[in-house]
Each structure stands twice: as structure tokens, then as C-alpha cells.
Amino acid sequence: MGATTRSCAGNLPLELTSFVGRRRELAEGKRALSAGRLLTLIGVGGVGKTRLARKIAAEMSREFEDGVWLIDLAPLGAWDLLAETVAAAVGCPYPDIDSLAAYLQDKKTLLVLDNCEHLLAQCGALAGDLLSTAPGLRILATSRQALRLEGEQVLEISPFTVPEPAEASMEDVLHNEAVRLFEDRAMAVVPGFKVSDANILAVARLCRRLDGIPLAIELAAARVLILSAEQILQRLDDRFRLLTTGPTTAPPRQKTLRALLDWSYDLCSEEEQALWGRMSVFSGGCDLEAIEQVCSEDGIAREGVPDLVTQLVSKSIVLRRGQDSTVRFDMLETLRQYGWERLVASGQDTTLRLRHRDWCRDLAARAEAQWFGDHQMEWLGRLSREQGNVRAALEFCLSEPGEAWAALEIAAAMWSHRLSWSSPSEGHHWLERALAKEPGAGAVRAKALWVDAWLVLLRGDPETAKPLLEECRMLAERLGDEAQLAGAVHITGFSALLAGDFGRAFTLLEEALARRRLIGHRGHEWVALFQLALTAVLMDDPRSTKLCEEVLETARRANAEWSVSYALWVTALERWRRGAFCDAVIMMRDSVRLKLRCNDHLGLAQCVEGLAWVLADDKQYEQAAQMLGAAQVVWRSIGTSLSGLGHLAGAHDRCETTLRRHLKDDRFQDAFDRGAELTLDQVAAYALDERPARPPAPDVTSVLTRREREIAECVAKGMSNKQIADALFIAQRTAECHVENILRKLNFTSRSQIVKTWDSLPPDQE
């Protein structure tokens, strides 16, 4: 979306440069969006529609309690992924328009649909459908044309006013918006740059020659790094006299922008020009490694790529995004399209798209091979960032004759949907298209069949999965492909698990695990082991304890944190089934902490549900009822419920029945409603028992047992859980459980509060 910093309301990025001018347009835009529900900012490319839309959204964000969501549609090539893209951005797990409308129906939300021009009809249809069903929704769109919907308000964004020749005084010129923008952007590259008596006439003429187009002014201002304002003007004037820019019917401002881009292109060296064109093959940006792999050779040495990228960044052709360990490079869409036209003119476009395809194949293969290991969290973020590139590569493979096999290979390698696709439905979208275009009966098709079945099962469609699995099994047997036969058995077992047919699921998953182990793929093997352990827990099989221990140990040994979170969850369920409620709560909370790090809301919902089940059986009925209500908050946030997860729905129903029996309906509903009124952040804090501490009672130790007081004294001395266990000859897990109980009983959130409390106790209470 442009910047990595996120606001508290939705995904609105913070601008990395200052906002200059546009006071009138800003006021009109806010007024129009307050009075109506659809506002479209229209204007030529480079005029600043996106920046103004972000400013309007930022200043109005407090009015939208459910968030402001910026969705850049420029990287989206396939119109049929429009609803999918919007759904993924706002957190709706289902990609169809009806589910998205239902998800937004009771929310007060602002959607900023940026760069609609290439999907004009589809954006209009989407906006119309959403606005008709979600009364609290407002939409702010940017486009080169209006969406032409009833009730749409259109605000045309014109270029900045420019200094007239008569405005020769410093005061008049300095108040001009175009000049202020030039000065602001020039200061960013040359600190201390000022519009002065020495350059004021040149700057004023520059702004006039550029027709006040913000992008053109910004590109020109970047040149003060190597040229004076007068030199920039001279070169620009010369260039305009020589240029023939586009058809005579094109608006003058578009010709001017084209001329500026031609001029910027000619200021680059041949190698920089080549890299500009080649980088246009990327969609949504990329890192330096990708540029080196895809864009080098044929006149660009790999070792020279970093310097060339640096030069393009300094010339404002390429934008540097991100900080710390995640640095990416991107181009404004206008510049990317210009680069693409140059690449096509050079005849190298197909070669570059094939290289880009191969880079995506390599990315997908490495993700599949490495996701279960030390770098799991890195892959989680990386594949999310590269969605635009993967989509572009898949679209190329599906449109280029003879390339559908590569689409199957890429999409099937990214089988773990939460590490790749925005939802299971998107993965199914690509695989369904690729399977239709590549009917050849090879191993890549067999793999794609079971991966597609896995994805449609995750979206709750077992009937569609059946023929896919049957074809996969028959094809794998005919080919003698043990890996794909293992996949067919595995996903058939997973289907039985979701259906609640635990006996059949256990048999199939046990066979799948044995087959996976023979093949030796750690990621596939662990998933089968996890599902086998979950099946054993749900069917009360005595083998569940050993299986859960193996699942957790394997994930921890691999240092795969996202997998550890699921291993902790299933092991907590196993402890709960055995009556070890304290252990179950501790492990479930450890899982919650990891879920929050991974931003895994589905996993968080399962954990909060699990906590409610454990607390209910531990006779903490009111807290369990509130936790059950809190779980509904998380389920709602992802637009789903337990109804699609039949293997877990039974435990939820039994928990609710228990709570209603012990609390009676009124008390249960009151506690449930308190939980259901929490925000997502409050749910997480409640699940972790991180409630604000209250001042301790005068005799704080009276609520603790003798053993708990003994352990609290050890904590006050600074002893760790292991040291406490060794000193009192108890298991470390028992010590952890006692500390957890002490914190809960005293309504504390940290061990340091125990230390402070014991330090302040009078001698007769110690």
C-alpha cells in the first residue's frame, strides 16, 4: 500500500513527505464526503489524487469507528479479483460480493479505492452493491473518470495554479502552491535549498512550463541534486521544443507529463534507462535481490544493480519503501507504465516476463521448502508482500500459450494459504483456471488437484473437493507418484476430520503421516502430524498425549513460531481433556501471544474458544461465559463462525449448555454480552488475563493458599520458576501453574507487582 506504518484506524499509511497546498480541495472533499456517501476524485495522472484522498481520509478517520481502509487497485490486473482484494484488505475472509456486503453491513467504515480507471465498470458495480447494503459505509475513489453512479459526487482535481508573469515579487511567488511544492521537494534532496532572489524567476517559469502538475514538479525538483533551477529550465525548454508527444487529441497536460517523463528518461544513462524499463515487470514493488535476479544480464551486470537502483532512487524514478530489515523498491504507477512501454518498444518484454515468472517459481519453491523452520515468520511476511508479483506472474502464465504448467507449479507450491493467498478462495481461483488450461496428466497436475481440494475444504466446500481428490488419487497411482498419493490420502483424511468422522480421519491421517515421512518433506509431515493429534484429542484417544508432545516438540525444534502456536493450542486441548486445567490455560495463553505476533485471527478465535471450554470445566463459570462472548468478537472480525468447523462446534455447544445450567440463562447472557462488547484488543488482553490491577486488600495474603504464599515469597526474592521448583521440590510446570493462580487471584498482570506487594507487607502478613 505504499508505507509500512499503519494508523490505528484501518490500514491508512502515513505520508512520508509533507502535504502542500490543496486547502480548497481538502475542504470541499471533506464536505462532500460528509454530505454524501460516494466521492470520486478525478484528474489526469500525476495530479495528486491519491495524496489528496489519503489526506481527506486521515483528517476524517475519527468519524469511522470501524476503520479507514486504503486499497490500491493499480497492481490488480484481473477484474474478477476485485472483491477478493477489497475483502482481504478489510479482513473479510470470503471473496464474493454478497459476503463482503454482509461483513460491512453494520460497520461504520471508509473505503478508499485508489486507481480505479482500469477497472472502471467493475469498481462502479462493486461500489453500488456495497453502498446499497451497508448504510454506515462511505467510499472515496480516485480515478481518471467518474464511476457514473447515482448519488456520486465528483471533485475534479486540477493542477496547481502557477505564478503569472506579472507576479514577480517574492511574496506573490512564495505563496503560490506550485512553487511551495517545488521548494519543499527540493529541500528534501538538498537541505537548505530556498527559493531566493537568485532563482525565483527560474522556479516560477519552471512551474508554468510544467503546467502545475504535482508529479512533474516533484520530478523536476529532484534534479536540484545535480542542476540549478536555471539549468533545469534550460534543459526542459530544449526538450519541449524537440518532443512530439502522443496523439494530437490528447489533453495538453497529458502531453506535458509525457514530455517530462521522456525528459527524465533521457537524463538517465543507458543502463539506468534499461533498468527502469525492466523493473516495470514487477507489480507492487520488490526487494533488491529480486531486481538483481530478474533485471541483470544483457547489458546490466549483476554487481552493478545496487548502484543503478541508487541512482534511480535519487532521481525519484524509483521509490524506497520500508525500514530496518524490509526494504523494497517501487515506482509510481505512471512511471511504471511509462517504463513498461519502453520495455515493450525494446522487444524485451516477453524475456523479462519469463524471468519474472522464473523468479516467482523459485520464490514459491523456497517458501514451500523453508516455511517450516527458523524463517517461518519471515516467509509469512514476505509472501504477503509479494502477492502482487505472484498474481502478475500467474496472469502471464495463464495468458501466454504453453505456460499454464508454470501457473500450476507456482500456485500448488503455495499450498499453505495463510502463508500466501489472501484467502483459500484466491488460491482456488488460480488453480481452477490453471487446471482448466493444463489438462496434461503429469505430476504437477496431481499436486495441484490435492492442493485445490485442501483450499476448497478450508472455505467449507467438501462437495467440490471430492472429485478433485478422486482424480488426484487415480492420477498419482497411474504415475506411481508417491508424493502426490500421500497428498490425496492426507487431504481425504482432513476432509473426514472437518466432517467429524474422527475414526476414518484418524486412519487416513495415520497413513498419510507414514507416507509423508517416507518422502521426507518436513512441512507436509508436520501438518499431517498436527491434524492426527487433533483428531486423537477430539475422539479421546489415549494416543493423543504422545502425539501432542511430538507435535509441540517438532515445531519447537524447528523454531517455527506459527506452527508452535497451533501445537500449543492442540496440546492445551489435550491437557483440558485430561483435566489438567491449569496447564491448559497456561499453554492456551502462550498460544495467544504467538497468534498476536502472527496476526492470525482465526487461530486467536480458536484459542479464546478453547479458554472458555477450559474455564467452564474448571468451574469458573462467569469468566468462561464472558470468554465465550469474547470469542464471538474474533469470529465476527473474520466474518465466520464455528458452523463451518464441525469438528469444534460440538465442544462449543457443550460448553454453552454447561454454563447455562450453572449460571442460569440471565447470568449467562449478561456475562456473555460483556465479553461480546469488547474490542479485539480488549479480547486479547482478557484472554491473557491482562486486566488493570486494583490496589490489594489490606490482608492480601488471605486469598492465597499456604503453598501460594510460599511461592509468592520466592517470587518476591527474584527467583525464577525453575529455581522455585528446585527449592520446593516440585515440578517446574507446577510452579508455573501456582504463579499463574497468584496473578489471577490478586488481579495482577506481572511478577513485579508481586515483588512490590510483598515488599510493602507488614511482618505479620509475610
Side-chain angles (χ1 to χ4, degrees):
M1 290 290 180
T4 55
T5 309
R6 295 165 72 94
S7 75
C8 61
N11 71 335
L12 190 64
L14 299 178
E15 288 290 352
L16 302 180
T17 54
S18 59
F19 186 83
V20 176
R22 300 292 192 200
R23 291 178 60 184
R24 179 186 60 78
E25 293 92 335
L26 179 60
E28 287 183 13
K30 290 163 62 176
R31 188 160 51 246
L33 198 56
S34 296
R37 298 180 58 216
L38 172 62
L39 170 63
T40 304
L41 308 182
I42 65 169
V44 298
V47 81
K49 302 183 294 294
T50 296
R51 189 178 294 273
L52 178 60
R54 290 180 177 182
K55 183 68 172 177
I56 292 171
E59 293 202 359
M60 297 184 69
S61 61
R62 293 180 182 275
E63 299 178 28
F64 300 95
E65 59 191 34
D66 293 305
V68 175
W69 303 95
L70 174 65
I71 304 157
D72 183 8
L73 302 179
L76 194 63
W79 67 265
D80 50 351
L81 285 180
L82 177 60
E84 174 83 23
T85 301
V86 176
V90 303
C92 174
Y94 302 114
D96 61 283
I97 186 64
D98 292 336
S99 297
L100 179 59
Y103 180 78
L104 295 172
Q105 186 173 14
D106 59 352
K107 292 180 170 58
K108 194 170 184 181
T109 303
L110 174 63
L111 295 185
V112 183
L113 301 180
D114 194 25
N115 295 307
C116 296
E117 50 269 0
H118 63 306
L119 300 171
L120 201 63
Q122 294 80 11
C123 287
L126 176 80
D129 288 342
L130 295 182
L131 290 169
S132 66
T133 56
L137 173 68
R138 279 178 167 79
I139 294 178
L140 173 57
T142 73
S143 176
R144 296 183 188 181
Q145 296 174 257
L147 300 184
R148 301 189 183 281
L149 289 181
E150 185 178 352
E152 177 187 24
Q153 299 186 79
V154 177
L155 179 59
E156 183 173 0
I157 309 304
S158 301
F160 283 143
T161 57
V162 295
E164 295 298 327
E167 295 174 358
S169 73
M170 175 73 76
E171 182 177 355
D172 290 337
V173 175
L174 286 181
H175 279 88
N176 179 268
E177 290 181 331
V179 172
R180 286 168 51 206
L181 178 65
F182 183 92
E183 182 180 65
D184 182 85
R185 299 304 188 256
M187 288 174 62
V189 293
V190 179
F193 177 91
K194 290 287 185 183
V195 176
S196 63
D197 287 332
N199 61 22
I200 186 171
L201 291 177
V203 171
R205 288 182 63 198
L206 260 175
C207 292
R208 286 199 302 272
R209 296 296 291 137
L210 297 175
D211 283 342
I213 298 174
L215 176 59
I217 292 169
E218 291 186 351
L219 289 169
R223 303 300 178 268
V224 301
L225 188 65
I226 55 173
L227 299 169
S228 69
E230 186 64 40
Q231 288 173 316
I232 296 172
L233 180 62
Q234 290 172 356
R235 295 187 178 217
L236 186 60
D237 284 343
D238 290 340
R239 192 62 187 141
F240 281 168
R241 280 195 296 269
L242 296 172
L243 279 176
T244 302
T245 56
T248 57
T249 56
R253 290 170 188 143
Q254 290 184 358
K255 292 182 182 181
T256 302
L257 182 59
R258 176 84 186 193
L260 178 64
L261 293 174
D262 285 336
W263 168 74
S264 298
Y265 187 81
D266 286 346
L267 283 179
C268 295
S269 68
E270 289 186 8
E271 287 185 320
E272 290 166 359
Q273 290 175 350
L275 187 60
W276 181 350
R278 294 178 190 185
M279 284 184 64
S280 68
V281 77
F282 292 102
S283 180
C286 58
D287 59 19
L288 183 61
E289 178 189 0
I291 301 172
E292 290 172 329
Q293 185 172 333
V294 175
C295 301
S296 62
E297 300 181 3
D298 297 329
I300 296 180
R302 187 177 183 121
E303 60 270 20
V305 168
D307 285 341
L308 290 174
V309 172
T310 301
Q311 291 301 317
L312 290 177
V313 170
S314 71
K315 293 178 178 179
S316 297
I317 305 301
V318 171
L319 302 176
R320 181 188 186 276
R321 308 285 196 189
Q323 301 293 334
D324 304 324
S325 61
T326 306
V327 175
R328 292 175 66 77
F329 300 95
D330 200 359
M331 284 186 280
L332 296 172
E333 185 62 16
T334 301
L335 295 175
R336 193 185 75 83
Q337 290 178 2
Y338 180 88
W340 178 251
E341 290 177 9
R342 287 286 188 168
L343 185 65
V344 171
S346 74
Q348 292 186 318
D349 51 309
T350 300
T351 299
L352 264 293
R353 296 202 74 170
L354 288 170
R355 287 186 192 171
H356 181 260
R357 176 210 66 187
D358 290 341
W359 172 74
C360 284
R361 285 177 62 211
D362 178 64
L363 180 79
R366 285 191 291 144
E368 183 178 24
Q370 299 175 18
W371 76 266
F372 186 71
D374 291 340
H375 303 292
Q376 188 175 75
M377 296 297 287
E378 294 174 28
W379 280 113
L380 192 72
R382 183 170 186 183
L383 289 178
S384 176
R385 292 190 295 272
E386 302 296 0
Q387 279 187 2
N389 280 311
V390 173
R391 288 168 175 166
L394 289 169
E395 204 59 70
F396 167 71
C397 293
L398 293 172
S399 59
E400 187 76 6
E403 291 294 322
W405 65 270
L408 281 179
E409 191 174 301
I410 293 169
M414 301 175 75
W415 57 271
S416 183
H417 78 282
R418 267 170 262 156
L419 288 175
S420 49
W421 311 118
S422 59
S423 76
S425 294
E426 184 183 350
H428 171 61
H429 163 87
W430 295 114
L431 284 166
E432 184 179 44
R433 289 177 61 190
L435 285 166
K437 282 183 171 288
E438 183 59 47
V444 67
R445 179 176 179 86
K447 181 178 180 181
L449 286 165
W450 71 254
V451 173
D452 197 19
W454 157 270
L455 293 171
V456 297
L457 283 169
L458 286 169
R459 70 174 196 166
D461 189 1
E463 291 306 312
T464 300
K466 286 180 182 178
L468 295 170
L469 289 170
E470 182 60 25
E471 182 185 348
C472 175
R473 184 187 60 77
M474 291 190 297
L475 180 55
E477 288 177 346
R478 186 163 71 248
L479 295 171
D481 192 324
E482 291 297 327
Q484 310 324 322
L485 187 57
V489 174
H490 181 177
I491 305 307
T492 303
F494 178 63
S495 178
L497 169 61
L498 292 182
D501 189 353
F502 300 138
R504 182 167 180 263
F506 192 92
T507 299
L508 288 168
L509 290 170
E510 194 172 36
E511 178 187 347
L513 178 59
R515 289 177 178 273
R516 295 293 201 194
R517 281 177 170 160
L518 283 174
I519 296 165
H521 193 297
R522 292 196 310 157
H524 293 71
E525 178 186 330
W526 184 86
V527 173
L529 178 63
F530 165 76
Q531 292 171 354
L532 182 65
L534 177 58
T535 305
V537 170
L538 295 175
M539 64 190 292
D540 284 324
D541 191 289
R543 291 168 288 186
S544 62
T545 300
K546 184 177 180 181
L547 286 168
C548 287
E549 289 173 354
E550 186 179 356
V551 166
L552 184 55
E553 175 58 28
T554 303
R556 281 177 168 165
R557 192 166 57 244
N559 197 28
E561 291 187 53
W562 184 60
S563 300
V564 167
S565 73
Y566 279 92
L568 285 167
W569 175 74
V570 73
T571 307
L573 292 182
E574 188 273 333
R575 296 289 194 275
W576 161 58
R577 290 280 193 169
R578 291 200 289 111
F581 302 137
C582 186
D583 281 358
V585 168
I586 290 171
M587 299 184 89
M588 201 71 80
R589 285 175 176 159
D590 286 344
S591 180
V592 167
R593 293 182 182 95
L594 290 175
K595 298 296 184 189
L596 294 174
R597 283 196 59 199
C598 302
N599 198 31
D600 181 0
H601 283 191
L602 174 62
L604 177 63
Q606 293 173 341
C607 285
V608 178
E609 273 281 347
L611 280 168
W613 306 343
V614 177
L615 293 170
D617 283 359
D618 197 27
K619 301 181 180 179
Q620 300 181 51
Y621 302 124
E622 193 136 348
Q623 190 176 357
Q626 189 167 342
M627 196 71 72
L628 210 59
Q632 299 309 301
V633 175
V634 195
W635 289 121
R636 285 199 305 268
S637 76
I638 55 177
T640 189
S641 69
L642 278 174
S643 60
L645 304 171
H647 60 307
L648 302 180
H652 172 93
D653 293 342
R654 287 192 296 274
C655 175
E656 182 172 338
T657 299
T658 297
L659 294 174
R660 288 186 182 278
R661 183 172 67 250
H662 287 279
L663 292 176
K664 306 307 179 188
D665 285 346
D666 288 348
R667 283 184 62 199
F668 167 80
Q669 198 61 50
D670 182 61
F672 184 94
D673 290 345
R674 288 200 305 274
E677 291 169 359
L678 299 175
T679 65
L680 270 175
D681 287 343
Q682 289 170 335
V683 168
Y686 186 63
L688 294 172
D689 207 17
E690 293 177 348
R691 293 163 291 180
R694 293 191 295 265
D699 184 10
V700 68
T701 61
S702 65
V703 299
L704 304 180
T705 66
R706 182 187 60 79
R707 175 61 93 181
E708 287 168 346
R709 288 197 297 271
E710 192 175 14
I711 288 177
E713 290 171 4
C714 292
V715 172
K717 294 175 183 177
M719 296 171 66
S720 67
N721 289 339
K722 187 177 186 307
Q723 291 170 327
I724 294 171
D726 292 340
L728 300 180
F729 302 99
I730 58 177
Q732 183 175 339
R733 178 59 73 180
T734 302
E736 292 171 357
C737 186
H738 281 305
V739 172
E740 197 64 31
N741 280 335
I742 293 167
L743 292 171
R744 178 175 55 80
K745 287 185 176 182
L746 299 181
N747 206 20
F748 288 170
T749 59
S750 68
R751 297 167 75 99
S752 62
Q753 290 174 283
I754 299 176
V755 176
K756 291 178 182 178
T757 299
W758 251 254
D759 287 345
S760 64
L761 287 177
D764 62 330
Q765 288 189 27
E766 292 183 347

